[in-house]
Amino acid sequence: MNFSSRHGIERLQLMIEVVALAILAMVTVHLFDLSDAISLTLALTIAYAVPRMLYTSRKWCTPLGRAFLCAVSFLMVSLAVLTVWERTAAMGLPFSTPHLISDDGNYFRWALSHYNGLTPQSKVAFPGFPLVMLALFKLFGPSIVWPLAMNVLFTLTTIVITGAMAIRLLHGRIECSDRWTATLAIGLTATLMFFLSQGLRIQKEAMLYLGITMCGYVLAGMNRSDASNKTVGWREVALWTTACTLMALARTTYLYFAFIGLGIFLLSNWRKNWRKIALFTVISGLLFTAGNLVARYSIEGHISIVGGGYYMQKDFLRHGSAAQPYLDIVGKYFYYSIWHRLALLPLSSSVQFIIPFPWVYSNATVLNVFPRIAWGWYIVGGITLYYFFCVSWRKKLSLGAWPWWPAAIFVTIAYVFAGVVSRYILPIQPLAVPLAVYVVALLRAGKLRKLFFVWSVTYIVVLAATLIICHQIQVDYLHNMEEYYRSLMLK
């Protein structure tokens, strides 16, 4: 068989996919009962097939991009099987009652309690995600497989849409082809391991990934200068409505970020964008109202969260928690004035950018180490920072208003939560990818190479020094805690 041509490469890739599917089936049959193995294999196959068909149907599909998507899918599917095994068969539990903790367990118990009325109901702030899980239970029966496979599908689809978003934002601005742009975007997104890891949780992050990225795609259309963007197409309306529905269900407060994006584009060019902005604001407002009706938090609650105070300090910077070394530096952050917290924004943003740290001190299992493989984000994030500090202010090279939307989301989350919940910024990590692709395209065209070299060396030195210092602080803190508990035992 000739694999030198593109069709030959595609046939080889198809063979690899078939072999991977066969391996998946054999592994699941070995680990689980036959019926469970069949359901898990079919669900994960669909979770891969949908984004794969979406990507291969695009004109900008390439063999390399397909290889990236296949590789990241194989990684996620493998870890999904491991997740299911650890939470069920390894503990002698069925798929219908897995051992889930934290938010994962709360969401699953909520859906299960509404499914059969036998499980004690847990409280959740935003019931949209467990409502979707309940619908899956009604269709297929209660199982950890369905929400997990859905989140894998949403995460992989987000990766494909990131490629489309990069094309839409950068088309006509760089000398590279759309195929090159999308391929690099998909490859870079596939390196964001913390982002991928949360797509393997029974949590709402994957719904937010898809919602925010679809919003980014629509807003990238507003960022273009051609006159055709003055009209409001039904595809744009459908995409925006779907995106806002996902966010309203998963975490209604993320719709504030949709409003921020619309506000940025209203200020940047209201004459061109006002029709779309008016319509999208109405859609977002209606869905925000609907989502807020079933959420635990009211608008007054949102204001209270932003304002800080006792409960925010207790939940996010509690004395004696893992964040104690950071607490020793910032003190009672959530009691500070607005201006004091704004003055600390460089620190809180830096903390949010760098955590979770790329190491573990105990329980170094695959699923615990995986989200701490941070090099992909440090590379993408570092290149993105180069855009903001060294490129964005150059009129001929600036990408306009769009990049300031993810930047605004990032600093807003850092301000509200002191930078300690880096999971909240995962939905905007794909938004950083087109900016990184743009910088690479500029370098490829021979622009600002010397400046980028200086930036890269400085960034690597600062990042390495920061990680070394943080590692030592954590080691000292853990040592002091061991000494403290040892002294208590002796008493």
Side-chain angles (χ1 to χ4, degrees), residues 166-179:
I167 290 174
R168 203 172 211 208
L169 183 66
L170 303 181
H171 183 79
R173 296 177 179 268
I174 58 177
E175 299 173 3
C176 306
S177 68
D178 289 349
R179 297 176 67 197

Side-chain angles (χ1 to χ4, degrees), residues 68 71-72 75-76 79 155 159 187-201 209 356 358 366-378 380 426 429:
F68 286 147
V72 72
L75 175 63
M76 290 198 72
L79 293 177
T155 303
I159 294 175
L188 289 176
T189 313
T191 68
L192 306 176
M193 299 305 171
F194 188 28
F195 165 84
L196 297 177
S197 73
Q198 299 309 294
L200 294 166
R201 300 286 299 273
Y209 293 170
V366 172
L367 293 177
N368 284 340
V369 172
F370 179 52
R372 294 180 176 274
I373 303 174
W375 62 267
W377 168 243
Y378 291 160
V380 171
L426 291 180
Q429 284 192 355

Side-chain angles (χ1 to χ4, degrees), residues 315-372:
D315 290 341
F316 296 101
L317 277 176
R318 185 177 66 255
H319 182 74
S321 67
Q324 184 63 47
Y326 183 46
L327 175 61
D328 293 338
I329 297 173
V330 299
K332 295 185 176 181
Y333 176 90
F334 294 101
Y335 290 96
Y336 295 154
S337 67
I338 293 175
W339 295 110
H340 193 166
R341 291 162 73 181
L342 286 174
L344 289 172
L345 198 54
L347 175 61
S348 59
S349 296
S350 298
V351 170
Q352 183 171 266
F353 180 91
I354 204 170
I355 60 175
F357 294 118
W359 57 73
V360 293
Y361 296 107
S362 61
N363 195 24
T365 63
V366 172
L367 293 177
N368 284 340
V369 172
F370 179 52
R372 294 180 176 274

